[in-house]
Amino acid sequence: LAPVRAYLAGLIALLAAVTCTFGNLAAYGQTNIKRLLAYSTIAHAGYMMMPIAAALVLIGSDPAGARASLAALAFYVAVYMFMNLGVFAGVAFLRNASGSEQIADYAGLVRRSPGLAVCMAILLFSLVGLPPLAGFAAKFTVFAALFDAGMLGLLIIGALNTVLSLFYYLRVVKVMILEPELPDGRAAEIPLKSPPGAFCLLVTLPVVVLGIWWEGLLRWAEAAAGSLL
């Protein structure tokens, strides 16, 4: 089955590279936050396909490495659940409060909703994969699986896409934190003591904690992968 595994690994690697690159390029020019996040979700689906390709390469010669690749996938999915749930919830709460999904209307958000703005910034930085947040740990495990499988080309594509995603995520943070508040006062006011603010804080905390103490969750992911291989 080695030729079949090699073919499938190459095919999935190609799909991962195309999916990741398309999602990030499409997200780059968006002015609507929901569309930006939707396209970035496509990009993250590409990242999730990468360890599958690595596992197919390693399973014939290094079963332990293949299990580590599948564990990287499970770990990434678990971390991404918190990041995506938090950022989409924040967008929904802001839309309900301000009636807008345009990134430009987030200007000055930190002045009216400082807690929510900080939570959104943490989640966006984690989606990029910046340390010391959980998104960094998740991407590190995926890229480590690619390195172990010798898939350096796909690793470089993943790293370049991470750099590309930094620009459009950082643009949202810049609007929320650095730009002055709009003169018509459209920035939403959502305190952390409110139910929406408390929910965003509750979902953001695991992203911070798992960025520092992520070994436990990774061990669970490795145990789950061990039941498959």
Side-chain angles (χ1 to χ4, degrees):
L1 295 177
V4 177
R5 288 198 301 268
Y7 173 78
L8 289 176
L11 178 61
I12 293 175
L14 176 62
L15 291 175
V18 171
T19 301
C20 191
T21 304
F22 168 77
N24 281 319
L25 288 176
Y28 183 81
Q30 297 301 319
T31 58
N32 181 290
I33 185 65
K34 187 181 288 185
R35 285 201 296 268
L36 182 148
L37 293 175
Y39 281 120
S40 76
T41 298
I42 296 174
H44 284 280
Y47 291 121
M48 293 178 196
M49 296 168 69
M50 292 178 182
I52 299 175
L56 288 170
V57 170
L58 293 169
I59 193 171
S61 58
D62 185 6
R67 286 193 293 271
S69 298
L70 293 181
L73 171 60
F75 182 74
Y76 196 104
V77 170
V79 170
Y80 185 69
M81 176 188 68
F82 289 109
M83 296 188 297
N84 221 32
L85 182 62
V87 75
F88 270 103
V91 167
F93 295 143
L94 289 170
R95 179 203 58 204
N96 292 340
S98 66
S100 174
E101 295 175 353
Q102 295 300 308
I103 297 172
D105 291 335
Y106 284 10
L109 181 65
V110 72
R111 294 167 181 81
R112 289 190 173 225
S113 307
L116 183 64
V118 170
C119 287
M120 289 285 289
I122 290 172
L123 293 168
L124 291 170
F125 283 140
S126 186
L127 284 168
V128 176
L130 297 181
L133 301 172
F136 169 77
K139 283 192 176 178
F140 177 81
T141 58
V142 168
F143 291 166
L146 294 177
F147 181 81
D148 291 340
M151 306 182 75
L152 299 183
L154 187 57
L155 173 57
I156 292 172
I157 291 173
L160 291 175
N161 271 280
T162 297
V163 174
L164 175 60
S165 69
L166 173 63
F167 290 100
Y168 63 79
Y169 285 129
L170 189 61
R171 175 163 52 92
V172 180
V173 176
K174 172 180 173 292
V175 170
M176 292 190 301
I177 305 297
L178 298 180
E179 292 192 4
E181 190 175 344
L182 295 174
D184 55 4
R186 277 179 288 173
E189 189 169 352
I190 303 177
L192 282 184
K193 293 182 179 180
S194 65
F199 179 84
C200 288
L201 178 62
L202 188 64
V203 180
T204 304
L205 286 176
V207 174
V208 177
V209 173
L210 290 174
I212 303 171
W213 297 287
W214 50 278
E215 292 86 355
L217 180 59
L218 183 59
R219 296 295 172 266
W220 287 354
E222 289 171 347
S227 66
L228 296 177
L229 295 178

